[in-house]
Amino acid sequence: MVSAPSGTGKTTLCTNVRQTPDLVYSVSCTTRPQRPGEQDGVDYFFLSKSEFEKKMQRGEMLEHADVYGHYYGTPKGPVLEHLAAGRDVLLDIDVQGARQIRGSRDAKIQEALADIFIMPPDLEELRRRLQGRGTENAQQIAKRIQAADAEMADWKSYRYTILSSSMEEDLIKFRAIIRAERYLSRRLNLHHG
Ligand code: 5GP
């Protein structure tokens, strides 16, 4: 599970990690409008508010949150199926969703869970990155910067924190964490002892 304030480069990071065959990316549902270049079912499942609420009411979301005025949520079924099949799942969710996942009483989720926070260098750099991306207007950027400030206060709740520098560096650290997590004794199924 990875969280990072908007604009930290986490999506690029996740896109890169997604290309690893042994890691399945959990495609979230959202009610926010689709951005140019985004594909329905690949980047997100783009839903209307009522479609999203229906899924929520049916208990089909592992967690959900209101982020910057839109709903975001993780479909439960696919995550549990992948974990049951022994596949690692990557969740890219905000700090509110992360809190819900940490509080999950599902044993499979608790066993699988490793959480990483990506800390942007500072708010000014974050603003530059968001402006450079050009997908949000000034008002939306201001909203995201404000939210980032609040989200950054949560970093200590995560087992790992990556201080974001270049995309290459961040990726190396991210992969190192995933690799180490796979060597945890408790995750190994050995026939000794
Ligand atoms: P964006 O709109 O930039 O794609 O994402 C905005 C924020 O929503 C990011 O912080 C991202 O991590 C978060 N987010 C994406 N999917 C989910 C989800 O399924 N659940 C929660 N709680 N947050 C999500």
Side-chain angles (χ1 to χ4, degrees), residues 74-109:
T74 305
K76 192 195 272 180
V79 174
L80 296 181
E81 282 160 31
H82 288 307
L83 291 182
R87 285 186 289 267
D88 287 338
V89 183
L90 178 63
L91 304 183
D92 163 0
I93 63 179
D94 86 318
V95 296
Q96 307 170 67
R99 238 174 269 142
Q100 294 169 48
I101 297 287
R102 259 185 234 112
S104 161
R105 265 173 284 165
D106 189 298
K108 272 276 173 202
I109 291 196

Short mmCIF file of all heavy atoms in Angstrom, two decimals, residues 74-109:
data_model
loop_
_atom_site.label_atom_id
_atom_site.label_comp_id
_atom_site.label_asym_id
_atom_site.label_seq_id
_atom_site.Cartn_x
_atom_site.Cartn_y
_atom_site.Cartn_z
N THR A 74 -11.43 1.24 -3.14
CA THR A 74 -10.76 0.01 -3.61
C THR A 74 -11.77 -1.13 -3.69
O THR A 74 -12.33 -1.51 -2.67
CB THR A 74 -9.65 -0.39 -2.61
OG1 THR A 74 -8.78 0.72 -2.43
CG2 THR A 74 -8.87 -1.59 -3.09
N PRO A 75 -12.00 -1.68 -4.88
CA PRO A 75 -12.89 -2.84 -4.98
C PRO A 75 -12.32 -4.02 -4.19
O PRO A 75 -11.14 -4.34 -4.32
CB PRO A 75 -12.92 -3.15 -6.48
CG PRO A 75 -12.40 -1.93 -7.15
CD PRO A 75 -11.47 -1.27 -6.18
N LYS A 76 -13.18 -4.60 -3.38
CA LYS A 76 -12.72 -5.65 -2.45
C LYS A 76 -12.42 -6.99 -3.14
O LYS A 76 -11.38 -7.59 -2.88
CB LYS A 76 -13.83 -5.86 -1.41
CG LYS A 76 -13.41 -6.69 -0.23
CD LYS A 76 -14.63 -7.17 0.56
CE LYS A 76 -15.03 -6.14 1.60
NZ LYS A 76 -16.21 -6.58 2.39
N GLY A 77 -13.34 -7.43 -3.99
CA GLY A 77 -13.25 -8.76 -4.61
C GLY A 77 -11.89 -9.07 -5.21
O GLY A 77 -11.24 -10.05 -4.81
N PRO A 78 -11.42 -8.24 -6.17
CA PRO A 78 -10.15 -8.55 -6.83
C PRO A 78 -8.98 -8.63 -5.85
O PRO A 78 -8.14 -9.52 -5.97
CB PRO A 78 -9.95 -7.37 -7.79
CG PRO A 78 -11.29 -6.77 -7.97
CD PRO A 78 -12.08 -7.05 -6.74
N VAL A 79 -8.94 -7.74 -4.86
CA VAL A 79 -7.82 -7.75 -3.91
C VAL A 79 -7.78 -9.08 -3.17
O VAL A 79 -6.74 -9.74 -3.09
CB VAL A 79 -7.92 -6.58 -2.90
CG1 VAL A 79 -6.85 -6.68 -1.84
CG2 VAL A 79 -7.84 -5.24 -3.62
N LEU A 80 -8.93 -9.51 -2.66
CA LEU A 80 -8.97 -10.75 -1.89
C LEU A 80 -8.65 -11.96 -2.77
O LEU A 80 -7.95 -12.88 -2.34
CB LEU A 80 -10.33 -10.91 -1.19
CG LEU A 80 -10.63 -9.84 -0.14
CD1 LEU A 80 -11.98 -10.09 0.52
CD2 LEU A 80 -9.53 -9.77 0.93
N GLU A 81 -9.14 -11.92 -4.01
CA GLU A 81 -8.85 -13.04 -4.93
C GLU A 81 -7.36 -13.16 -5.22
O GLU A 81 -6.80 -14.25 -5.17
CB GLU A 81 -9.60 -12.87 -6.26
CG GLU A 81 -11.07 -13.24 -6.18
CD GLU A 81 -11.88 -12.63 -7.31
OE1 GLU A 81 -11.33 -12.44 -8.42
OE2 GLU A 81 -13.06 -12.31 -7.07
N HIS A 82 -6.72 -12.02 -5.49
CA HIS A 82 -5.29 -12.06 -5.79
C HIS A 82 -4.49 -12.53 -4.58
O HIS A 82 -3.58 -13.36 -4.72
CB HIS A 82 -4.78 -10.68 -6.24
CG HIS A 82 -5.24 -10.30 -7.60
ND1 HIS A 82 -5.04 -11.11 -8.70
CD2 HIS A 82 -5.90 -9.21 -8.06
CE1 HIS A 82 -5.56 -10.53 -9.78
NE2 HIS A 82 -6.08 -9.37 -9.41
N LEU A 83 -4.83 -12.03 -3.42
CA LEU A 83 -4.09 -12.44 -2.21
C LEU A 83 -4.27 -13.94 -1.97
O LEU A 83 -3.30 -14.64 -1.66
CB LEU A 83 -4.56 -11.65 -0.98
CG LEU A 83 -4.21 -10.16 -0.96
CD1 LEU A 83 -4.69 -9.53 0.34
CD2 LEU A 83 -2.71 -9.92 -1.14
N ALA A 84 -5.47 -14.43 -2.18
CA ALA A 84 -5.74 -15.86 -1.97
C ALA A 84 -4.91 -16.70 -2.94
O ALA A 84 -4.49 -17.81 -2.62
CB ALA A 84 -7.22 -16.15 -2.13
N ALA A 85 -4.65 -16.14 -4.13
CA ALA A 85 -3.87 -16.86 -5.14
C ALA A 85 -2.37 -16.64 -4.94
O ALA A 85 -1.56 -17.09 -5.75
CB ALA A 85 -4.30 -16.42 -6.53
N GLY A 86 -2.01 -15.92 -3.89
CA GLY A 86 -0.59 -15.72 -3.58
C GLY A 86 0.07 -14.60 -4.37
O GLY A 86 1.29 -14.52 -4.44
N ARG A 87 -0.73 -13.74 -4.97
CA ARG A 87 -0.16 -12.63 -5.74
C ARG A 87 -0.14 -11.36 -4.89
O ARG A 87 -1.09 -11.08 -4.17
CB ARG A 87 -0.99 -12.38 -7.00
CG ARG A 87 -0.78 -13.42 -8.09
CD ARG A 87 -1.52 -13.02 -9.35
NE ARG A 87 -2.96 -13.16 -9.20
CZ ARG A 87 -3.65 -14.26 -9.52
NH1 ARG A 87 -3.03 -15.32 -10.03
NH2 ARG A 87 -4.94 -14.31 -9.35
N ASP A 88 0.94 -10.62 -5.01
CA ASP A 88 1.03 -9.34 -4.30
C ASP A 88 0.18 -8.30 -5.00
O ASP A 88 0.15 -8.24 -6.23
CB ASP A 88 2.48 -8.86 -4.26
CG ASP A 88 3.31 -9.69 -3.30
OD1 ASP A 88 2.72 -10.31 -2.40
OD2 ASP A 88 4.54 -9.70 -3.45
N VAL A 89 -0.47 -7.48 -4.22
CA VAL A 89 -1.35 -6.45 -4.78
C VAL A 89 -0.84 -5.08 -4.36
O VAL A 89 -0.45 -4.88 -3.20
CB VAL A 89 -2.79 -6.63 -4.24
CG1 VAL A 89 -3.72 -5.61 -4.87
CG2 VAL A 89 -3.29 -8.04 -4.50
N LEU A 90 -0.81 -4.16 -5.30
CA LEU A 90 -0.37 -2.80 -5.02
C LEU A 90 -1.57 -1.86 -4.91
O LEU A 90 -2.34 -1.72 -5.86
CB LEU A 90 0.56 -2.33 -6.14
CG LEU A 90 1.10 -0.91 -6.06
CD1 LEU A 90 1.96 -0.72 -4.82
CD2 LEU A 90 1.90 -0.58 -7.31
N LEU A 91 -1.73 -1.24 -3.75
CA LEU A 91 -2.81 -0.26 -3.55
C LEU A 91 -2.20 1.13 -3.53
O LEU A 91 -1.26 1.39 -2.76
CB LEU A 91 -3.53 -0.47 -2.22
CG LEU A 91 -4.17 -1.80 -1.87
CD1 LEU A 91 -4.88 -1.68 -0.53
CD2 LEU A 91 -5.15 -2.21 -2.94
N ASP A 92 -2.74 2.01 -4.34
CA ASP A 92 -2.29 3.41 -4.36
C ASP A 92 -3.46 4.22 -3.80
O ASP A 92 -4.39 4.53 -4.52
CB ASP A 92 -1.97 3.76 -5.82
CG ASP A 92 -1.88 5.25 -6.08
OD1 ASP A 92 -2.06 6.06 -5.14
OD2 ASP A 92 -1.62 5.63 -7.24
N ILE A 93 -3.42 4.47 -2.50
CA ILE A 93 -4.57 5.12 -1.87
C ILE A 93 -4.15 6.24 -0.93
O ILE A 93 -2.99 6.33 -0.53
CB ILE A 93 -5.47 4.10 -1.14
CG1 ILE A 93 -4.74 3.43 0.00
CG2 ILE A 93 -6.00 3.04 -2.10
CD1 ILE A 93 -5.61 2.44 0.76
N ASP A 94 -5.09 7.08 -0.58
CA ASP A 94 -4.76 8.24 0.26
C ASP A 94 -4.67 7.83 1.74
O ASP A 94 -4.91 6.67 2.09
CB ASP A 94 -5.79 9.36 0.05
CG ASP A 94 -6.99 9.21 0.94
OD1 ASP A 94 -7.48 8.07 1.08
OD2 ASP A 94 -7.43 10.21 1.53
N VAL A 95 -4.32 8.78 2.59
CA VAL A 95 -4.07 8.47 4.00
C VAL A 95 -5.35 7.99 4.73
O VAL A 95 -5.26 7.19 5.65
CB VAL A 95 -3.43 9.66 4.76
CG1 VAL A 95 -2.05 9.98 4.21
CG2 VAL A 95 -4.31 10.89 4.73
N GLN A 96 -6.51 8.48 4.30
CA GLN A 96 -7.76 8.03 4.93
C GLN A 96 -8.03 6.56 4.61
O GLN A 96 -8.40 5.78 5.49
CB GLN A 96 -8.95 8.83 4.40
CG GLN A 96 -8.82 10.33 4.49
CD GLN A 96 -9.95 11.00 3.72
OE1 GLN A 96 -11.11 10.91 4.10
NE2 GLN A 96 -9.62 11.65 2.61
N GLY A 97 -7.82 6.21 3.33
CA GLY A 97 -8.00 4.82 2.92
C GLY A 97 -6.98 3.93 3.62
O GLY A 97 -7.31 2.82 4.05
N ALA A 98 -5.77 4.43 3.74
CA ALA A 98 -4.69 3.65 4.38
C ALA A 98 -5.07 3.32 5.82
O ALA A 98 -4.85 2.20 6.29
CB ALA A 98 -3.39 4.44 4.34
N ARG A 99 -5.66 4.29 6.49
CA ARG A 99 -6.08 4.07 7.88
C ARG A 99 -7.11 2.94 7.94
O ARG A 99 -7.07 2.10 8.82
CB ARG A 99 -6.70 5.37 8.42
CG ARG A 99 -5.98 5.87 9.65
CD ARG A 99 -6.50 7.23 10.06
NE ARG A 99 -5.76 8.31 9.44
CZ ARG A 99 -6.31 9.45 8.99
NH1 ARG A 99 -7.61 9.65 9.07
NH2 ARG A 99 -5.54 10.37 8.45
N GLN A 100 -8.03 2.93 6.98
CA GLN A 100 -9.07 1.89 6.98
C GLN A 100 -8.48 0.51 6.71
O GLN A 100 -8.87 -0.47 7.32
CB GLN A 100 -10.14 2.21 5.93
CG GLN A 100 -10.94 3.45 6.24
CD GLN A 100 -11.80 3.87 5.06
OE1 GLN A 100 -12.49 3.07 4.46
NE2 GLN A 100 -11.75 5.15 4.71
N ILE A 101 -7.50 0.47 5.80
CA ILE A 101 -6.87 -0.83 5.48
C ILE A 101 -6.10 -1.34 6.70
O ILE A 101 -6.17 -2.51 7.05
CB ILE A 101 -5.91 -0.69 4.27
CG1 ILE A 101 -6.69 -0.30 3.01
CG2 ILE A 101 -5.12 -1.97 4.05
CD1 ILE A 101 -7.53 -1.39 2.39
N ARG A 102 -5.40 -0.43 7.37
CA ARG A 102 -4.66 -0.82 8.58
C ARG A 102 -5.60 -1.37 9.64
O ARG A 102 -5.25 -2.25 10.39
CB ARG A 102 -3.90 0.37 9.14
CG ARG A 102 -2.45 0.35 8.77
CD ARG A 102 -1.72 1.50 9.44
NE ARG A 102 -1.03 2.24 8.40
CZ ARG A 102 -1.32 3.47 8.01
NH1 ARG A 102 -2.29 4.16 8.59
NH2 ARG A 102 -0.65 4.04 7.04
N GLY A 103 -6.79 -0.83 9.67
CA GLY A 103 -7.77 -1.25 10.67
C GLY A 103 -8.59 -2.45 10.23
O GLY A 103 -9.47 -2.89 10.96
N SER A 104 -8.31 -2.98 9.03
CA SER A 104 -9.10 -4.11 8.52
C SER A 104 -8.93 -5.34 9.41
O SER A 104 -7.83 -5.63 9.88
CB SER A 104 -8.65 -4.44 7.09
OG SER A 104 -9.06 -5.73 6.75
N ARG A 105 -10.03 -6.04 9.60
CA ARG A 105 -9.95 -7.24 10.45
C ARG A 105 -9.75 -8.49 9.61
O ARG A 105 -9.72 -9.58 10.13
CB ARG A 105 -11.21 -7.34 11.31
CG ARG A 105 -10.93 -6.72 12.69
CD ARG A 105 -12.18 -6.66 13.50
NE ARG A 105 -13.03 -5.58 13.02
CZ ARG A 105 -14.31 -5.44 13.34
NH1 ARG A 105 -14.89 -6.31 14.09
NH2 ARG A 105 -15.01 -4.42 12.88
N ASP A 106 -9.59 -8.30 8.30
CA ASP A 106 -9.37 -9.44 7.43
C ASP A 106 -7.94 -9.95 7.62
O ASP A 106 -6.97 -9.22 7.41
CB ASP A 106 -9.59 -9.01 5.97
CG ASP A 106 -9.60 -10.18 5.02
OD1 ASP A 106 -8.55 -10.87 4.94
OD2 ASP A 106 -10.61 -10.42 4.38
N ALA A 107 -7.82 -11.22 8.03
CA ALA A 107 -6.50 -11.78 8.36
C ALA A 107 -5.57 -11.77 7.15
O ALA A 107 -4.37 -11.49 7.28
CB ALA A 107 -6.66 -13.20 8.90
N LYS A 108 -6.12 -12.05 5.97
CA LYS A 108 -5.30 -12.09 4.74
C LYS A 108 -4.69 -10.71 4.46
O LYS A 108 -3.56 -10.59 4.01
CB LYS A 108 -6.17 -12.49 3.55
CG LYS A 108 -6.24 -13.99 3.36
CD LYS A 108 -5.03 -14.45 2.56
CE LYS A 108 -4.98 -15.97 2.50
NZ LYS A 108 -3.64 -16.48 2.22
N ILE A 109 -5.48 -9.69 4.73
CA ILE A 109 -5.00 -8.32 4.47
C ILE A 109 -3.94 -7.95 5.49
O ILE A 109 -2.89 -7.41 5.14
CB ILE A 109 -6.19 -7.35 4.47
CG1 ILE A 109 -7.00 -7.69 3.22
CG2 ILE A 109 -5.73 -5.89 4.51
CD1 ILE A 109 -7.97 -6.70 2.77
#
